[in-house]
Amino acid sequence: MRFSTNFKPYVLLLVVGIFLLLGYIKLNCDIFIFVSKRPLFCFSRRTDVVTVTPWLASIIWEGTFDPVLVDNIYKPMNLTIATTVFAVGKYVSFLRDFLETAEMHFMVGFNVRYYVFTDRPQDVPSVNLTQGRHLSVIQVPGSNRWQEISARRMEIIQTTIESQIRREADYIFCLDVDSKFHARWGAESLGRLVAVIHPGYYDQTRANFPYERRPASMAYIPMDEGDYYYGGAMIGGFVEDVYTLTTVCRNRFAVDAGNSIEAAWQEESHLNRYLLYNKPSKVLSPEYLWQDFKAKTKEVKVIRFSGVVKNYAEVRPNV
């Protein structure tokens, strides 16, 4: 059973209240779980990384949450998680590893609906899915430019939410297919609007962020603004919140296209612009978006999801 967007936070508040009364929470820590942007309780302490944003959203790292407690709160709600991936052109070759590792690590114990967008439906592999997990294949056009595929994703996700996803899921995560899961990605990641810090810039200052700096673009961010540089390989949150995000970004893409402008990093640039003025309610650490060619650092104790090493000239049509 799914709850309405407005009702869901109050249900979660009630469940959390029960756990508080039962004494499961220790209040001697500094990581907060949020419902409707209000801190309710906290978990274990980490002092080597920043764990709360300036607007008091939690940043999720290993050691900042109790997975058993989190699951006990969310699993009784019988939530369904939508997961979108684009397997266009030769990128369909990454789909099997994505799905098989997702079945091992992604939202285990929850209802999951995978939505695979591809121009090669005949090449979608058959993968054994556990109970409560389903896969839908949606055919989309191919392209001779990978930038166009990237630019169209916001529009396709928006229209699919309208036509299908909003009736079938509570939360949604939009992920890159050329990636694999390596460890738990669970309910600790759920929130109204969820972003992930890009692994290349989590230890950088805003002066080094590759934001779109041209004022003529709708993705423009001034040099003196910016919180984090968010990775475009993950967008998440309540279905309706992600719908709003994709609608706004799609419209800004259209304005730029009408002015013959392509943002520096296509959808990622527009995503960062949107999140600057519409703060995420939860931020995921680079554990949730690592890169296989990077060695694990002292801050990143667990790699949960990582982009695989690949030859772009082999998989991208115009490289």
Side-chain angles (χ1 to χ4, degrees):
M1 169 178 155
R2 292 191 296 277
F3 302 104
S4 71
T5 300
N6 292 331
F7 185 60
K8 216 174 293 175
Y10 300 103
V11 174
L12 185 52
L13 178 60
L14 176 61
V15 174
V16 170
I18 292 172
F19 275 88
L20 285 169
L21 291 174
L22 291 174
Y24 282 96
I25 310 302
K26 295 181 180 179
L27 296 177
N28 59 351
C29 50
D30 58 1
I31 304 304
F32 296 96
I33 288 294
F34 288 77
V35 174
S36 295
K37 301 182 182 179
R38 299 189 180 190
L40 292 182
F41 61 88
C42 54
F43 288 133
S44 55
R45 183 184 301 273
R46 274 193 64 175
T47 58
D48 59 324
V49 292
V50 176
T51 56
V52 180
T53 70
W55 60 94
L56 300 182
S58 53
I59 305 176
I60 307 301
W61 296 85
E62 174 69 8
T64 65
F65 64 94
D66 181 334
V68 175
L69 177 59
V70 169
D71 284 349
N72 286 341
I73 290 171
Y74 281 95
K75 283 188 176 179
M77 299 179 70
N78 194 30
L79 299 170
T80 297
I81 317 299
T83 308
T84 67
V85 288
F86 284 74
V88 178
K90 294 181 180 179
Y91 275 77
V92 73
S93 64
F94 299 107
L95 189 55
R96 179 178 295 278
D97 277 350
F98 176 92
L99 292 172
E100 289 182 346
T101 58
E103 285 298 288
M104 291 188 286
H105 301 295
F106 180 73
M107 293 294 173
V108 174
F110 287 87
N111 302 312
V112 173
R113 287 186 172 272
Y114 301 103
Y115 300 85
V116 175
F117 301 102
T118 183
D119 59 338
R120 300 183 180 185
Q122 71 279 3
D123 293 331
V124 172
S126 176
V127 174
N128 292 327
L129 304 179
T130 56
Q131 185 176 0
R133 300 164 81 96
H134 306 275
L135 187 148
S136 298
V137 178
I138 301 172
Q139 188 160 1
V140 296
S143 177
N144 292 324
R145 295 184 71 245
W146 67 264
Q147 293 92 338
E148 292 175 359
I149 298 169
S150 174
R152 281 206 313 267
R153 293 206 296 185
M154 291 289 189
E155 175 185 354
I156 293 171
I157 292 169
Q158 178 208 2
T159 56
T160 307
I161 289 174
E162 286 179 350
S163 64
Q164 186 172 355
I165 295 176
R166 63 166 36 136
R167 298 193 307 271
E168 298 178 345
D170 304 291
Y171 291 86
I172 182 171
F173 286 96
C174 309
L175 304 175
D176 273 8
V177 72
D178 53 336
S179 308
K180 294 170 63 174
F181 294 87
H182 299 279
R184 173 196 167 97
W185 179 323
E188 73 281 352
S189 64
L190 297 177
R192 290 195 66 93
L193 184 60
V194 183
V196 63
I197 299 174
H198 194 291
Y201 301 96
Y202 75 95
D203 56 354
Q204 301 289 313
T205 62
R206 70 160 66 108
N208 297 316
F209 294 166
Y211 292 146
E212 173 56 67
R213 300 299 191 183
R214 293 172 295 173
S217 173
M218 294 295 289
Y220 168 64
I221 295 178
M223 289 296 297
D224 61 346
E225 295 187 39
D227 304 308
Y228 304 97
Y229 189 76
Y230 301 109
M234 199 292 298
I235 306 168
F238 278 174
V239 169
E240 292 304 321
D241 288 72
V242 174
Y243 175 76
T244 301
L245 181 156
T246 55
T247 301
V248 171
C249 289
R250 173 190 178 180
N251 291 338
R252 289 175 177 167
F253 264 116
V255 173
D256 270 7
N259 293 322
S260 300
I261 296 173
E262 183 174 87
W265 292 101
Q266 296 82 39
E267 67 173 8
E268 189 170 82
S269 297
H270 287 276
L271 173 68
N272 273 274
R273 164 76 185 201
Y274 182 88
L275 293 173
L276 175 59
Y277 301 110
N278 302 270
K279 306 294 190 191
S281 60
K282 183 172 287 183
V283 176
L284 305 182
S285 72
E287 297 170 1
Y288 295 81
L289 186 60
W290 201 242
Q291 296 165 317
D292 280 357
F293 63 82
K294 293 172 65 72
K296 188 163 58 173
T297 67
K298 59 182 174 53
E299 297 90 1
V300 179
K301 301 181 183 301
V302 175
I303 296 173
R304 305 180 188 279
F305 185 63
S306 184
V308 302
V309 175
K310 52 195 165 294
N311 182 341
Y312 285 109
E314 292 181 354
V315 296
R316 286 183 172 177
N318 59 309
V319 174

